[in-house]
Amino acid sequence: VDTCPYAIIQGKCTDNCPAEFYYSGSTCVPCEGQCLTCSSQNKCDTCKNNLLAYKGQCITVCPTNSMKIGQHCVDCDPSCIGCSVSPSACHTCKNGYYNFQEKCVQQCPIKHYLNVRTSSCQPCDFGCSSCLGAGNCNSCEDGSSTINGVCAGSCGANCLRCENKACTVCSDGYIISGGSCQNFCPPGSTSSNGKCVCN
């Protein structure tokens, strides 16, 4: 042929470069070291021998604050200290960030409050649109006023779901007892599946 369709390798024309080579100018050039595929001589895209590709290098273990995805190491979100499942699913959050549904945020979303003890965003009680904590509602979704920090017509503090003025789901650490959320069961009953049940 007068011109090569892609590149020359070992004196023959080729349509694409094989594994362990990359395209440069009009030729296929060998990758360096442990690269299986590379985009330049010193930048590995994938690695041989079950090594992991990270920032153009081949390594054996992902560095701190990164995670393995396939045969690559990917950095965790900048707000994270460690991650799993995905780069934004943080183990813990850096200072100034708070845990919200496995992500780190700088401000809790509406209908949530900052639990300083756990550095996490927790949901306000049922019917509350803004709050300072469980049982400490500032404003109610229906526009009604609060009575001692609780929305009128709601199921009380620490309730996340309310039906017919009886709580059906409580905040973590609370148990349904008599339609409201308590942090212990009364004498003669024990906790079972999030509810107080008579012995």
Side-chain angles (χ1 to χ4, degrees):
V1 294
D2 295 327
T3 58
C4 291
Y6 184 69
I8 303 167
I9 182 166
Q10 296 173 349
K12 294 182 181 178
C13 293
T14 180
D15 288 329
N16 47 44
C17 294
E20 300 179 42
F21 285 81
Y22 70 98
Y23 181 69
S24 178
S26 61
T27 60
C28 291
V29 180
C31 299
E32 287 261 319
Q34 295 293 326
C35 294
L36 182 62
T37 60
C38 61
S39 48
S40 67
Q41 193 169 29
N42 297 315
K43 187 173 182 189
C44 299
D45 298 325
T46 59
C47 301
K48 297 186 275 189
N49 304 319
N50 290 322
L51 293 175
L52 304 167
Y54 179 70
K55 296 185 177 178
Q57 303 299 311
C58 292
I59 57 177
T60 54
V61 178
C62 289
T64 302
N65 222 32
S66 68
M67 65 174 289
K68 181 183 173 193
I69 298 178
Q71 288 304 114
H72 293 80
C73 294
V74 179
D75 286 329
C76 298
D77 189 270
S79 64
C80 295
I81 299 174
C83 58
S84 60
V85 183
S86 78
S88 61
C90 304
H91 289 220
T92 56
C93 299
K94 288 184 178 175
N95 284 340
Y97 290 87
Y98 312 108
N99 189 291
F100 175 66
Q101 297 177 351
E102 294 188 343
K103 294 184 179 176
C104 294
V105 296
Q106 287 186 295
Q107 188 173 2
C108 292
I110 58 169
K111 298 185 184 179
H112 289 77
Y113 68 93
L114 173 61
N115 183 325
V116 179
R117 187 175 54 81
T118 61
S119 290
S120 63
C121 298
Q122 300 293 322
C124 296
D125 296 331
F126 182 85
C128 183
S129 59
S130 67
C131 65
L132 297 174
N136 196 352
C137 188
N138 288 333
S139 59
C140 302
E141 288 178 337
D142 61 7
S144 63
S145 56
T146 59
I147 301 168
N148 296 325
V150 176
C151 291
S154 78
C155 293
N158 300 299
C159 183
L160 301 181
R161 191 174 303 135
C162 184
E163 293 176 12
N164 300 321
K165 296 193 178 180
C167 193
T168 58
V169 179
C170 292
S171 299
D172 288 343
Y174 288 86
I175 310 151
I176 297 172
S177 177
S180 65
C181 297
Q182 308 296 328
N183 57 3
F184 63 92
C185 288
S189 66
T190 53
S191 174
S192 176
N193 295 323
K195 295 181 180 181
C196 291
V197 180
C198 291
N199 292 339

